[in-house]
Amino acid sequence: NLALLLAHLITHFSVSLSVLKVVEFNNLEENAIVFFYSLFRKILGAKDATLVSVFERIAYSLDLEDLRDGIWYFFHQYLLVKSTAEAKSKELKMKKKVERARLRQRMKLATKAMGHKGK
């Protein structure tokens, strides 16, 4: 999967998140949403130090403010929403709840690292 390859390149510092600066996160087609969902889920699953470093690389450039805003928008518009799918059993509901809490914590860490205040 191309999203997983790009996530690997980003988390191993071969490519920066800044390559996404041309993406308009507020105007994505369904296949792009799936791509970026996979990409960001993989990146957010990295170790804390790696996650922070990946997002700090785009934190200080004024040219990347739109990218930071776009990533924040994607996190809140698509990443959290997709992870709240209905679960049928109590066990599965609990697992989804724990997964969502972990995802929210990872998103906060990434958002803080890239210096985004949230809007």
Side-chain angles (χ1 to χ4, degrees), residues 23-47:
V23 177
E24 293 182 29
F25 286 100
N26 61 346
N27 191 23
L28 295 174
E29 294 182 13
E30 186 63 32
N31 59 349
I33 293 168
V34 172
F35 175 86
F36 289 114
Y37 180 84
S38 298
L39 173 74
F40 287 121
R41 285 297 299 251
K42 187 69 174 175
I43 291 171
L44 291 171
K47 294 179 181 176

Side-chain angles (χ1 to χ4, degrees), residues 11 16 24 29-30 32 37 46 84 88 91 95 102 119:
T11 56
S16 170
E24 293 182 29
E29 294 182 13
E30 186 63 32
Y37 180 84
T84 60
K88 297 185 187 221
E91 184 178 322
K95 185 177 178 183
R102 179 170 166 20
K119 292 181 180 174

Side-chain angles (χ1 to χ4, degrees), residues 28-78:
L28 295 174
E29 294 182 13
E30 186 63 32
N31 59 349
I33 293 168
V34 172
F35 175 86
F36 289 114
Y37 180 84
S38 298
L39 173 74
F40 287 121
R41 285 297 299 251
K42 187 69 174 175
I43 291 171
L44 291 171
K47 294 179 181 176
D48 286 358
T50 301
L51 177 66
V52 168
S53 294
V54 162
F55 285 92
E56 278 182 341
R57 292 176 77 184
I58 64 166
Y60 304 108
S61 174
L62 292 175
D63 294 339
L64 299 177
E65 185 174 0
D66 287 342
L67 173 60
R68 293 187 295 271
D69 290 345
I71 291 172
W72 183 89
Y73 174 83
F74 186 87
F75 281 177
H76 292 85
Q77 186 69 28
Y78 299 110

Side-chain angles (χ1 to χ4, degrees), residues 69-113:
D69 290 345
I71 291 172
W72 183 89
Y73 174 83
F74 186 87
F75 281 177
H76 292 85
Q77 186 69 28
Y78 299 110
L79 217 53
L80 280 179
V81 174
K82 274 193 171 262
S83 65
T84 60
E86 288 296 319
K88 297 185 187 221
S89 71
K90 285 185 180 182
E91 184 178 322
L92 194 53
K93 283 181 184 180
M94 184 55 102
K95 185 177 178 183
K96 287 278 186 188
K97 193 173 185 177
V98 169
E99 181 183 308
R100 182 180 161 104
R102 179 170 166 20
L103 180 61
R104 187 178 293 279
Q105 182 266 337
R106 305 298 287 169
M107 287 170 44
K108 281 184 180 180
L109 185 61
T111 300
K112 183 178 177 184

